[in-house]
Amino acid sequence: MKQIVDFKLVGKQDFGRSALLRLHAECALPDMAPGQFVQVRVDGSPSTYLRRPISIHDVDFQNHEITLLVQQIGEGTRHLASAETGDIINVVLPLGNGFSMPEKGERCLLVGGGIGIAPLFYFAKVLNEKGIRPTLLLGGKTESDLLRLADYQKLGETFVTTEDGSLGEKGFVTMHSVWQKQSFDKIYVCGPKPMMKAVAKLASEKSVWCEVSLENLMACGLGACLCCVEDTVDGHVCVCKEGPVFNTRRLKW
Amino acid sequence: MKQIVDFKLVGKQDFGRSALLRLHAECALPDMAPGQFVQVRVDGSPSTYLRRPISIHDVDFQNHEITLLVQQIGEGTRHLASAETGDIINVVLPLGNGFSMPEKGERCLLVGGGIGIAPLFYFAKVLNEKGIRPTLLLGGKTESDLLRLADYQKLGETFVTTEDGSLGEKGFVTMHSVWQKQSFDKIYVCGPKPMMKAVAKLASEKSVWCEVSLENLMACGLGACLCCVEDTVDGHVCVCKEGPVFNTRRLKW
Amino acid sequence: MTIDLGRGLVLRNPVMTASGTFGYGEEYTDFVDLAQLGGIIVKGTTLHPREGNPYPRMAETPSGMLNCVGLQNKGVQYFIDTIYPRIKDFDTNVLLNLSGSCLEDYVKGAEMVDALDKIPAIELNVSCPNVKQGGMAFGVTTTGISQVVSEVRKVYHKHLMVKLSPNVTNIAEIALAAEADGADSVSLINTLMGMAIDAEQRKPKLSVITGGLSGACVKPVALRMVWQVAKAVKIPVVGLGGISNAIDAVEFMLAGASAIEIGTANFIDPAVSAKVVWGINEYCERHGFAQVAELTGALL
Amino acid sequence: MTIDLGRGLVLRNPVMTASGTFGYGEEYTDFVDLAQLGGIIVKGTTLHPREGNPYPRMAETPSGMLNCVGLQNKGVQYFIDTIYPRIKDFDTNVLLNLSGSCLEDYVKGAEMVDALDKIPAIELNVSCPNVKQGGMAFGVTTTGISQVVSEVRKVYHKHLMVKLSPNVTNIAEIALAAEADGADSVSLINTLMGMAIDAEQRKPKLSVITGGLSGACVKPVALRMVWQVAKAVKIPVVGLGGISNAIDAVEFMLAGASAIEIGTANFIDPAVSAKVVWGINEYCERHGFAQVAELTGALL
Ligand SMILES: Cc1cc2nc3c(=O)[nH]c(=O)nc-3n(C[C@H](O)[C@H](O)[C@H](O)COP(=O)(O)OP(=O)(O)OC[C@H]3O[C@@H](n4cnc5c(N)ncnc54)[C@H](O)[C@@H]3O)c2cc1C
Ligand SMILES: Cc1cc2nc3c(=O)[nH]c(=O)nc-3n(C[C@H](O)[C@H](O)[C@H](O)COP(=O)(O)OP(=O)(O)OC[C@H]3O[C@@H](n4cnc5c(N)ncnc54)[C@H](O)[C@@H]3O)c2cc1C
Ligand SMILES: Cc1cc2nc3c(=O)[nH]c(=O)nc-3n(C[C@H](O)[C@H](O)[C@H](O)COP(=O)(O)O)c2cc1C
Ligand SMILES: Cc1cc2nc3c(=O)[nH]c(=O)nc-3n(C[C@H](O)[C@H](O)[C@H](O)COP(=O)(O)O)c2cc1C
Ligand code: FES
Ligand code: FES
């Protein structure tokens, strides 16, 4: 069941342009699946009239905590990233549908680009809990984009690309040598649209099942306003409600 | 010369519904006369789109400081009153014309009601510097409305009324016994409009010169928009530019 | 708190949710008990299915938003077959917002909806600025509105609410035309036509360049129009546009509205509609109004 | 950055200040070097003195404000005798915003202003929503605008800019009429008519109930109208409505404006007009525009 929850910011880690926010709620949290997202109220400023959709980066049900990884893009995310411990942050959650759970034994590749790595953390964690150890392929422009790398590495074999070669292989995620060396049953992608399209193309060439998590502009986040639509084989569908995760076969890419 | 100055909040005293804000500027402050006011930018919230006019409560030219006494009325003043030390507060100043300076030897009565006592502090201080010791008559609904009373008392003989009788004489300022016992050459008033009108009437009955400081709703504060007009014998005039202080003879009260 | 809008449309309280902002109600049941609302007005529906406009369809603006959804919906028949059975037993008034691109579509659609027992009223959308041959053509002239209202009136026998466009010189004139031709009530405002540009990309932010402005920013315009229309017509006026809390709602009623709708504010606080119901009650108690209906036009 | 609006009105840069928000320029000289601006448009002036509307004249709204000043001014003759001598040597274009309540007043006023050497242009205000027999009557119909523009054109020989009302169904049509009857340029938008209510007092917040909405909240509507008008007319379009910074200004130019005006934002930051000049320059450099004029209509 979806809820509107006042969280308190209880922990914060700054990564320059991004920040990791640990939010605590008084009451028990509803079920949340990896790939689902939340809608955050920023404040009463005129340029943050609407809520901001942010992926669930991690959940600690026992302690009533969720963690968000927020990159500063504009006024809203800047405001969020500069919240201070003790601040109250109003959140609607959980929204959308998460990643499809693989079968045991399936080889999974989780591909993340930029801030798109955010939902993959919780996903990889849950996969580990289910006894599936995913492979991770994370890309960024430069070394400092690869946030929490050590933590990701604990959740599976992790490959890295950077556009400037400052860490891992130089180039885009689609150029990484792992594509030649290993094969996968399922590929899950979150990142900038061009990168997701490139991975989707690669996956389709290899005839591998592939899911992407879209970040269309949203107003309601509830499937009510029809603002966030993506063009699919079934016509315009709401990313917030039927997604944000889509099998690439469904998309008209 | 009017300036736009970024002040830093360096000191704050809370009085429940009101707060005393001490603001420090990097650069030297322009000349400011008692009765002039400033326009404060609150923040980017939608309901504080315009600046808020606030009287100059005190000035310390040597230390580049001004002091504001702010009562929480709505969103803007609430926000101001909850500012924290270190916050930057953007201010346009000085605006309007101050109180007329009395001649040496003239007996002055300064009448303040509610938050209208704010500009009288700086005025009384300057009068003292000029060798004129004013009489003060301050009114409030109840005891706790009489802010900084001890400080006012240092600046002149101070009489008090409260509507509930919790401090000083019970009733309105116009009912205070000082009116029977003493006579004055000049009366200066700032407070709620009904109170100012009552004092103005009393003064006119006694044929005493009287100035009031108006608090009309303002947009620009510069005499540009013509929103803040008061009806006078010369027609509609801008309170922000020709006031806020007016001789009551000029007003159509 | 009952509000009788006439011809069988009786609301438990004056608060409804605006078309296109509340889905089919189902999207909000986790946040609001629909039985607490006066009514919900479902998505704009057209006779034939519509894919709507391409993405992107929205842009945030100062204290508001633009949208150009373009009436995406699966058509009246799909509504009747698939959605109506799911929502007809909601314990509140379910109104259908009917749109069209030509007179025949409006009439055919209204005829089909007339047969639905549990839909007590149509809100006739003659004011959608986001579709090319959209209803807005009908909504901006008195002859246009007369035509569509009188034709629909012939086939539709329940409460006919006509939703007016604010993109006109004289909205009272349009409202009077709707009244004269058989509207049971008018609702206003639909969105103001606006535009947003991404200066860095040098491109419009919306796929079809212009869109409809809604949210707190439009409230002053909406309130003025409700006041003008309420002075002009005798049928009930339903006010909306930027209502974000109970005090906003009260303002619309004081200006002359008999009921109100909440739109964009649902996106910001999905529970806002129920809060507005409580808040109006609280206001009435505080100000000594025995009936909510007494608020209508009660400006001093 | 020079912008040539035609018939002798050449601006140093596209930034002007909007009538009624910048006084006679004198109020802002502590904050802005007027020589840095393309022009200033002084207060709305009428042939005869006007006391304007009673207080209260303004109300804050979400991201904007309402005003009902009602054209308070001392008349054209007073302007000529008392104000003109003080401001005529400002090193920028000083435009007079001329309003009227009947045709004769417009014509007589324009004739008197025509004689003033240092006033290169009139901005004809046919769109003030705040006075009863205000110019707005002229500004909302094509026949009204044709009448006033053609009559004024006969007696006024310098640049005639016509300021359009946004409170119309089809603003492009009004702009075309102004163009056809001799306007050298059009400026838009004037304020949107709105209203505010104090729910606790149950009273309108403005003395005359309705007023004009301005500020950031109206930007999407203004931008849309500038875009519509710029597509329709051949004369230059001056864009305004909610411009608060250089990026807003650039958006209006991309939408088709040749120059822009800054209004309500002057109240929030008295130095904003000069900042917008710098910011437009910076944008042009960053995006490789050699001339500011190239921004006009440069949507991709
Ligand atoms: C389902 C979902 C999950 C997301 N998860 C995360 C997350 O975990 N962490 C995170 O940092 N961000 C995430 N985002 C993106 C985040 O919502 C946006 O960055 C944020 O809304 C931008 O708000 P802002 O006020 O900072 O910027 P704005 O001022 O609103 O926008 C700044 C600029 O960025 C553009 N922009 C903003 N959002 C998007 C978008 N979604 N797509 C394309 N352009 C955009 C705007 O058009 C504008 O040009 C997610 C988005 C979605 C839809
Ligand atoms: C020259 C001048 C000097 C002032 N000096 C001081 C001062 O030293 N300290 C101080 O605390 N306040 C002072 N004020 C009043 C102060 O400006 C207002 O209280 C403030 O603007 C209210 O803003 P807000 O956002 O808190 O309330 P809002 O949300 O803007 O208003 C809340 C309610 O109060 C009403 N209201 C607001 N301002 C006024 C007003 N001026 N007159 C009548 N009704 C009003 C509004 O209409 C509304 O109903 C002064 C005003 C003026 C014009
Ligand atoms: C995303 C969105 C979709 C809308 N769709 C419709 C619609 O289908 N039919 C309709 O009559 N109005 C539609 N509207 C207009 C609203 O019902 C309402 O008239 C308008 O938004 C003003 O109210 P508000 O400011 O409270 O949102 C839509 C508005 C939004 C924001
Ligand atoms: C207080 C005030 C007074 C105004 N007076 C006039 C006027 O005298 N003549 C005129 O043409 N427009 C007048 N306007 C309208 C502005 O010039 C401008 O068209 C409008 O405010 C929209 O621009 P903005 O949003 O940048 O303020 C006035 C606006 C305000 C806020
Ligand atoms: S954001 Fe409203 S439907 Fe997806
Ligand atoms: S507030 Fe603008 S003239 Fe006084």
Side-chain angles (χ1 to χ4, degrees):
Chain A
M1 190 171 142
K2 300 186 191 84
Q3 300 184 357
I4 310 174
V5 181
D6 270 336
F7 283 92
K8 185 182 271 183
L9 181 60
V10 290
K12 193 178 155 187
Q13 196 178 343
D14 261 310
F15 299 105
R17 225 188 127 194
S18 303
L20 189 72
L21 307 175
R22 199 154 53 79
L23 305 173
H24 175 266
E26 289 295 322
C27 302
L29 297 173
D31 277 346
M32 282 177 261
Q36 285 190 300
F37 67 101
V38 306
Q39 278 264 66
V40 184
R41 177 101 187 89
V42 178
D43 68 357
S45 111
S47 53
T48 55
Y49 185 66
L50 299 167
R51 288 176 181 266
R52 296 295 188 261
I54 302 289
S55 307
I56 297 169
H57 178 66
D58 200 1
V59 190
D60 177 345
F61 288 100
Q62 204 143 32
N63 292 313
H64 309 174
E65 286 182 5
I66 61 168
T67 311
L68 307 178
L69 188 59
V70 177
Q71 182 175 49
Q72 297 183 32
I73 295 290
E75 185 77 2
T77 47
R78 195 153 49 231
H79 222 93
L80 265 182
S82 63
E84 285 166 27
T85 310
D87 286 359
I88 301 298
I89 297 182
N90 183 274
V91 174
V92 179
L93 84 180
L95 302 172
N97 299 305
F99 297 108
S100 314
M101 276 299 151
E103 302 294 313
K104 218 157 172 158
E106 285 187 311
R107 291 157 303 164
C108 300
L109 177 68
L110 278 47
V111 188
I115 198 68
I117 65 171
L120 303 182
F121 189 82
Y122 181 39
F123 188 33
K125 207 173 99 172
V126 170
L127 288 178
N128 274 274
E129 283 164 11
K130 293 201 188 295
I132 300 171
R133 204 162 161 81
T135 304
L136 290 104
L137 172 56
L138 308 178
K141 283 214 171 54
T142 185
E143 187 175 0
S144 59
D145 288 351
L146 280 303
L147 309 173
R148 303 195 68 186
L149 189 54
D151 297 318
Y152 279 91
Q153 282 165 338
K154 287 179 202 146
L155 299 170
E157 190 179 12
T158 302
F159 301 99
V160 167
T161 62
T162 51
E163 289 176 35
D164 65 0
S166 53
L167 196 74
E169 294 186 14
K170 181 168 173 159
F172 297 111
V173 283
T174 41
M175 293 152 68
H176 196 278
S177 56
V178 67
W179 294 104
Q180 318 303 329
K181 293 182 196 151
Q182 300 189 21
S183 62
F184 302 95
D185 300 309
K186 290 198 161 157
I187 300 175
Y188 300 89
V189 200
C190 187
K193 210 159 197 170
M195 174 267 208
M196 290 199 285
K197 285 195 177 174
V199 176
K201 189 156 164 267
L202 201 62
S204 121
E205 282 163 12
K206 293 178 188 284
S207 307
V208 183
W209 183 103
C210 180
E211 269 184 3
V212 293
S213 180
L214 303 185
E215 297 203 345
N216 289 10
L217 293 171
M218 293 180 179
C220 72
L222 301 168
C225 74
L226 307 187
C227 285
C228 62
V229 292
E230 182 72 24
D231 208 10
T232 72
V233 293
D234 313 311
H236 283 140
V237 303
C238 292
V239 168
C240 70
K241 195 176 175 187
E242 304 204 25
V245 175
F246 288 93
N247 192 298
T248 51
R249 273 172 320 194
R250 221 184 141 192
L251 301 175
K252 283 204 182 158
W253 276 9
Chain B
M1 189 172 141
K2 300 186 191 84
Q3 300 184 358
I4 309 174
V5 180
D6 269 335
F7 283 91
K8 185 182 272 184
L9 181 61
V10 291
K12 192 179 156 184
Q13 197 178 342
D14 261 309
F15 299 105
R17 224 187 129 195
S18 302
L20 190 72
L21 306 174
R22 198 155 52 80
L23 304 173
H24 175 267
E26 289 295 322
C27 303
L29 297 174
D31 277 346
M32 280 177 263
Q36 286 191 300
F37 67 101
V38 305
Q39 279 264 66
V40 183
R41 177 102 188 90
V42 178
D43 67 357
S45 111
S47 53
T48 56
Y49 184 66
L50 299 166
R51 288 175 182 266
R52 296 295 188 263
I54 301 290
S55 306
I56 297 168
H57 177 67
D58 199 2
V59 191
D60 177 345
F61 288 101
Q62 204 144 33
N63 292 314
H64 310 173
E65 285 182 5
I66 61 169
T67 310
L68 307 178
L69 188 60
V70 177
Q71 182 176 50
Q72 297 183 33
I73 296 290
E75 184 77 3
T77 47
R78 196 154 47 233
H79 221 95
L80 264 182
S82 64
E84 285 165 27
T85 311
D87 285 0
I88 300 299
I89 297 181
N90 183 273
V91 174
V92 179
L93 86 179
L95 302 173
N97 299 305
F99 296 108
S100 314
M101 275 301 151
E103 302 295 313
K104 219 162 171 153
E106 285 186 310
R107 291 157 304 164
C108 300
L109 176 68
L110 278 46
V111 187
I115 198 67
I117 64 171
L120 302 182
F121 189 82
Y122 180 39
F123 187 32
K125 207 173 99 171
V126 169
L127 288 178
N128 275 276
E129 283 164 12
K130 294 205 188 294
I132 302 172
R133 204 162 160 82
T135 304
L136 290 104
L137 172 57
L138 308 178
K141 284 212 169 56
T142 184
E143 186 175 1
S144 59
D145 288 351
L146 280 303
L147 308 174
R148 303 195 67 187
L149 189 56
D151 298 317
Y152 280 90
Q153 281 164 336
K154 286 180 202 146
L155 299 170
E157 190 178 11
T158 302
F159 301 98
V160 167
T161 62
T162 51
E163 290 176 34
D164 65 359
S166 53
L167 196 74
E169 295 186 15
K170 182 169 171 158
F172 297 112
V173 285
T174 41
M175 294 152 68
H176 197 277
S177 56
V178 67
W179 294 104
Q180 318 302 330
K181 294 183 194 148
Q182 300 189 23
S183 64
F184 302 95
D185 300 309
K186 291 200 160 154
I187 299 175
Y188 300 89
V189 200
C190 186
K193 208 159 197 172
M195 174 266 206
M196 290 199 285
K197 285 193 176 172
V199 176
K201 191 159 163 265
L202 201 64
S204 121
E205 283 162 16
K206 295 179 186 282
S207 306
V208 183
W209 184 102
C210 180
E211 270 184 0
V212 293
S213 180
L214 303 185
E215 297 203 344
N216 289 10
L217 292 172
M218 294 181 178
C220 72
L222 301 168
C225 75
L226 308 187
C227 284
C228 62
V229 291
E230 182 70 24
D231 208 9
T232 71
V233 293
D234 312 312
H236 282 139
V237 303
C238 291
V239 168
C240 69
K241 195 177 175 184
E242 304 202 25
V245 175
F246 288 92
N247 193 299
T248 50
R249 275 173 318 196
R250 222 184 141 191
L251 301 175
K252 284 205 182 159
W253 276 9
Chain C
M1 286 187 108
T2 307
I3 305 286
D4 188 344
L5 293 180
R7 206 184 292 252
L9 182 60
V10 180
L11 313 180
R12 185 173 288 140
N13 62 56
V15 179
M16 297 188 281
T17 54
S19 177
T21 68
F22 209 68
Y24 294 107
E26 299 164 308
E27 293 82 354
Y28 285 85
T29 47
D30 282 353
F31 308 106
V32 181
D33 174 5
L34 301 182
Q36 295 188 340
L37 302 180
I40 65 172
I41 306 183
V42 303
K43 272 178 200 174
T45 306
T46 49
L47 184 61
H48 303 295
R50 291 181 51 95
E51 268 299 307
N53 291 318
Y55 177 87
R57 290 179 172 184
M58 80 102 185
E60 199 174 36
T61 67
S63 300
M65 66 175 280
L66 289 163
N67 88 81
C68 64
V69 169
L71 291 175
Q72 173 177 338
N73 78 98
K74 297 194 169 157
V76 175
Q77 193 57 55
Y78 181 89
F79 175 81
I80 294 173
D81 297 341
T82 310
I83 300 165
Y84 179 66
R86 283 191 335 239
I87 66 174
K88 72 183 173 43
D89 294 323
F90 282 159
D91 183 15
T92 190
N93 289 295
V94 178
L95 284 72
L96 186 107
N97 179 274
L98 183 68
S99 216
S101 36
C102 62
L103 201 54
E104 295 68 43
D105 286 5
Y106 275 108
V107 174
K108 190 83 212 330
E111 224 168 353
M112 292 163 74
V113 178
D114 198 47
L116 302 178
D117 269 6
K118 301 289 184 68
I119 304 283
I122 279 178
E123 182 181 50
L124 205 65
N125 179 7
V126 289
S127 46
C128 178
N130 294 331
V131 295
K132 278 237 170 59
Q133 327 89 327
M136 191 159 125
F138 290 106
V140 297
T141 60
T142 50
T143 48
I145 199 121
S146 290
Q147 212 183 8
V148 65
V149 172
S150 58
E151 291 302 315
V152 167
R153 182 74 287 175
K154 286 182 198 156
V155 302
Y156 190 67
H157 306 96
K158 293 187 246 172
H159 187 102
L160 183 60
M161 184 183 293
V162 178
K163 185 164 182 182
L164 305 179
S165 169
N167 302 295
V168 296
T169 308
N170 186 342
I171 194 164
E173 193 179 273
I174 310 274
L176 282 166
E179 177 179 47
D181 285 291
D184 296 308
S185 63
V186 286
S187 58
L188 60 146
I189 58 173
N190 208 316
T191 53
L192 277 165
M193 197 176 157
M195 176 173 172
I197 289 175
D198 183 327
E200 294 306 316
Q201 310 271 336
R202 284 166 52 201
K203 284 191 180 148
K205 287 192 179 176
L206 300 176
S207 62
V208 293
I209 305 181
T210 60
L213 185 66
S214 65
C217 57
V218 308
K219 200 189 83 174
V221 174
L223 201 57
R224 179 262 294 183
M225 290 185 164
V226 164
W227 179 75
Q228 289 179 321
V229 168
K231 280 194 308 176
V233 300
K234 292 190 187 62
I235 51 176
V237 174
V238 177
L240 72 154
I243 297 178
S244 311
N245 53 48
I247 294 301
D248 290 343
V250 167
E251 289 168 22
F252 276 82
M253 296 191 72
L254 294 174
S258 298
I260 60 100
E261 300 178 21
I262 297 179
T264 308
N266 292 303
F267 305 160
I268 294 155
D269 178 1
V272 69
S273 50
K275 289 182 191 165
V276 169
V277 174
W278 306 328
I280 294 176
N281 261 331
E282 188 271 332
Y283 178 94
C284 286
E285 278 170 30
R286 195 152 45 84
H287 286 262
F289 289 98
Q291 305 292 333
V292 179
E294 292 169 18
L295 288 178
T296 301
L299 270 189
L300 294 177
Chain D
M1 286 188 109
T2 307
I3 305 286
D4 189 344
L5 293 180
R7 207 186 290 254
L9 183 60
V10 180
L11 314 180
R12 186 174 288 141
N13 60 57
V15 179
M16 296 188 282
T17 54
S19 177
T21 67
F22 208 68
Y24 294 108
E26 299 164 309
E27 292 82 354
Y28 285 85
T29 47
D30 283 353
F31 308 106
V32 181
D33 174 4
L34 301 182
Q36 295 187 341
L37 302 180
I40 65 172
I41 306 182
V42 303
K43 273 179 200 175
T45 307
T46 49
L47 183 62
H48 302 294
R50 289 181 53 93
E51 269 299 306
N53 290 319
Y55 177 85
R57 292 181 173 182
M58 81 103 184
E60 199 174 38
T61 67
S63 300
M65 66 175 280
L66 288 163
N67 88 81
C68 65
V69 170
L71 290 175
Q72 173 178 339
N73 79 98
K74 298 195 168 157
V76 174
Q77 193 59 54
Y78 181 90
F79 175 82
I80 293 173
D81 297 340
T82 310
I83 299 165
Y84 179 66
R86 286 197 327 245
I87 67 174
K88 71 180 174 47
D89 294 324
F90 282 160
D91 183 15
T92 190
N93 289 295
V94 178
L95 283 73
L96 186 107
N97 179 273
L98 183 68
S99 216
S101 37
C102 62
L103 201 55
E104 296 67 45
D105 286 7
Y106 275 110
V107 173
K108 188 86 212 330
E111 224 168 351
M112 290 164 75
V113 177
D114 197 47
L116 303 178
D117 269 6
K118 300 289 186 65
I119 304 283
I122 279 179
E123 182 181 49
L124 205 66
N125 179 7
V126 289
S127 46
C128 180
N130 294 331
V131 295
K132 277 237 172 58
Q133 329 88 326
M136 192 160 124
F138 290 107
V140 297
T141 61
T142 49
T143 48
I145 199 123
S146 290
Q147 213 182 7
V148 65
V149 173
S150 58
E151 290 304 314
V152 168
R153 182 74 288 176
K154 285 182 196 154
V155 302
Y156 190 69
H157 305 96
K158 292 187 244 170
H159 187 101
L160 183 59
M161 184 183 293
V162 178
K163 186 164 182 181
L164 306 179
S165 168
N167 303 295
V168 296
T169 308
N170 185 342
I171 195 164
E173 195 178 271
I174 310 274
L176 281 167
E179 177 178 46
D181 285 291
D184 295 308
S185 63
V186 286
S187 58
L188 62 148
I189 59 173
N190 209 316
T191 53
L192 277 165
M193 197 176 157
M195 175 173 173
I197 288 174
D198 184 328
E200 294 307 316
Q201 311 271 337
R202 283 166 52 200
K203 283 191 180 146
K205 289 193 178 177
L206 300 176
S207 61
V208 293
I209 305 181
T210 61
L213 185 66
S214 65
C217 58
V218 308
K219 200 188 83 172
V221 175
L223 201 57
R224 180 263 295 182
M225 290 185 165
V226 164
W227 179 75
Q228 288 178 319
V229 168
K231 280 194 308 175
V233 300
K234 292 192 186 62
I235 51 177
V237 174
V238 177
L240 73 154
I243 296 177
S244 310
N245 54 48
I247 294 301
D248 290 344
V250 167
E251 290 169 21
F252 276 80
M253 296 192 71
L254 294 175
S258 298
I260 59 100
E261 298 178 21
I262 298 179
T264 308
N266 292 304
F267 305 160
I268 294 155
D269 178 0
V272 69
S273 50
K275 288 182 192 166
V276 169
V277 175
W278 307 328
I280 294 177
N281 260 332
E282 188 271 331
Y283 179 94
C284 286
E285 278 169 29
R286 194 152 46 82
H287 285 263
F289 289 97
Q291 305 290 333
V292 178
E294 291 169 19
L295 287 177
T296 301
L299 271 189
L300 294 176

